[in-house]
Amino acid sequence: MSEPQETAGGTRRSPVMERETGPGTPGEPPVPLLDGPRGRAGRFWSARRVPAGLVALLLLVVAGAFLYDVAAVRAGRSSLAWRRELAGQLARRPLDDTWVLAGAGVAAALGLWLFVLALTPGLRTLLPMRRTHPDVRAGLHRAAAAMVLRDRAMEVSGVQSVRVRMRRAKARVRAVAHFRELDDVRADLDTVLDEAVRGLGLARPPAVSVRVARPGRKG
């Protein structure tokens, strides 16, 4: 699970857009369109290249080692020492042996990890935007969305500094006001940030939580 991102400045990241391919067109299969002609703005799915590459490399090494040993035995040579030792250990150790249970636990944990990766979309830092065209999907990075909210909050009179923690379902805004009443600043921030969130064009606008405080004393 990714951590929420904080922004107090930095470079802007532009929205991500991708065009879906139609039937018979090379590329990824199109996402089914729901909810009328505009379609449903679902989350973006990660390609999972690193886990897939690691699993493929591990399977290649293990399968290659066993295939080489089997071919060597077929050619009249003796099997490798590691395979004889492995077969002997598996034959002698009972199922409740500590090493057998540890190996089974590791294999089950890796399998569960791969299963979770296969069923979850990932790319939690990319927020899906509303679809205005059935063939185009757009997403906005959390950092970019947080920066927009921060810039809009800084326009409120009395606000000295702002920190924004952006999640998929909630945006936490912490502002420091050096003059004006805190209730007045908070009311203005609520109005400005609600309008800013609607202007982001997100498919699932996050709820905004605002907290306003005075600057801390120095020294």
Side-chain angles (χ1 to χ4, degrees), residues 60-99:
L60 179 63
V61 171
V62 173
F66 277 102
L67 181 62
Y68 174 82
D69 192 55
V70 171
V73 172
R74 291 288 185 178
R77 301 178 182 178
S78 60
S79 61
L80 297 178
W82 66 267
R83 193 161 76 93
R84 293 197 301 270
E85 179 65 19
L86 177 62
Q89 291 289 341
L90 293 177
R92 291 193 301 269
R93 292 183 181 272
L95 294 180
D96 58 351
D97 184 80
T98 303
W99 287 104

Side-chain angles (χ1 to χ4, degrees), residues 164-184:
V164 179
R165 295 167 62 91
M166 193 74 182
R167 298 180 178 177
R168 287 196 305 117
K170 192 169 187 178
R172 297 181 181 272
V173 181
R174 301 296 178 258
V176 175
H178 57 298
F179 69 92
R180 294 183 68 198
E181 293 293 333
L182 295 183
D183 292 339
D184 296 340

Side-chain angles (χ1 to χ4, degrees), residues 190-213:
D190 288 336
T191 302
V192 169
L193 293 175
D194 287 343
E195 180 183 352
V197 167
R198 290 194 299 269
L200 292 176
L202 299 177
R204 298 176 181 85
V208 181
S209 171
V210 180
R211 188 176 68 183
V212 184

Side-chain angles (χ1 to χ4, degrees), residues 16-201:
V16 176
M17 300 184 66
E18 66 178 28
R19 184 177 180 86
E20 296 177 356
T21 56
T25 306
E28 298 182 358
V31 177
L33 299 178
L34 303 175
D35 300 337
R38 292 189 177 185
R40 184 182 63 180
R43 289 181 58 187
F44 291 83
W45 282 72
S46 173
R48 311 289 192 189
R49 293 185 178 89
V50 174
L54 292 177
V55 172
L57 180 61
L58 178 62
L59 292 178
L60 179 63
V61 171
V62 173
F66 277 102
L67 181 62
Y68 174 82
D69 192 55
V70 171
V73 172
R74 291 288 185 178
R77 301 178 182 178
S78 60
S79 61
L80 297 178
W82 66 267
R83 193 161 76 93
R84 293 197 301 270
E85 179 65 19
L86 177 62
Q89 291 289 341
L90 293 177
R92 291 193 301 269
R93 292 183 181 272
L95 294 180
D96 58 351
D97 184 80
T98 303
W99 287 104
V100 174
L101 295 177
V106 171
L110 291 176
L112 179 61
W113 176 60
L114 295 174
F115 189 72
V116 171
L117 290 181
L119 295 181
T120 54
L123 295 180
R124 297 180 62 85
T125 59
L126 197 59
L127 305 175
M129 303 178 69
R130 289 192 299 268
R131 300 182 68 171
T132 58
H133 192 280
D135 294 332
V136 178
R137 299 179 66 206
L140 184 65
H141 285 279
R142 282 192 196 177
M147 187 172 295
V148 171
L149 298 185
R150 175 185 175 274
D151 292 345
R152 292 296 304 275
M154 289 296 297
E155 297 174 359
V156 175
S157 176
V159 173
Q160 183 180 24
S161 63
V162 180
R163 296 183 69 87
V164 179
R165 295 167 62 91
M166 193 74 182
R167 298 180 178 177
R168 287 196 305 117
K170 192 169 187 178
R172 297 181 181 272
V173 181
R174 301 296 178 258
V176 175
H178 57 298
F179 69 92
R180 294 183 68 198
E181 293 293 333
L182 295 183
D183 292 339
D184 296 340
V185 176
R186 185 181 296 107
D188 290 347
L189 283 173
D190 288 336
T191 302
V192 169
L193 293 175
D194 287 343
E195 180 183 352
V197 167
R198 290 194 299 269
L200 292 176

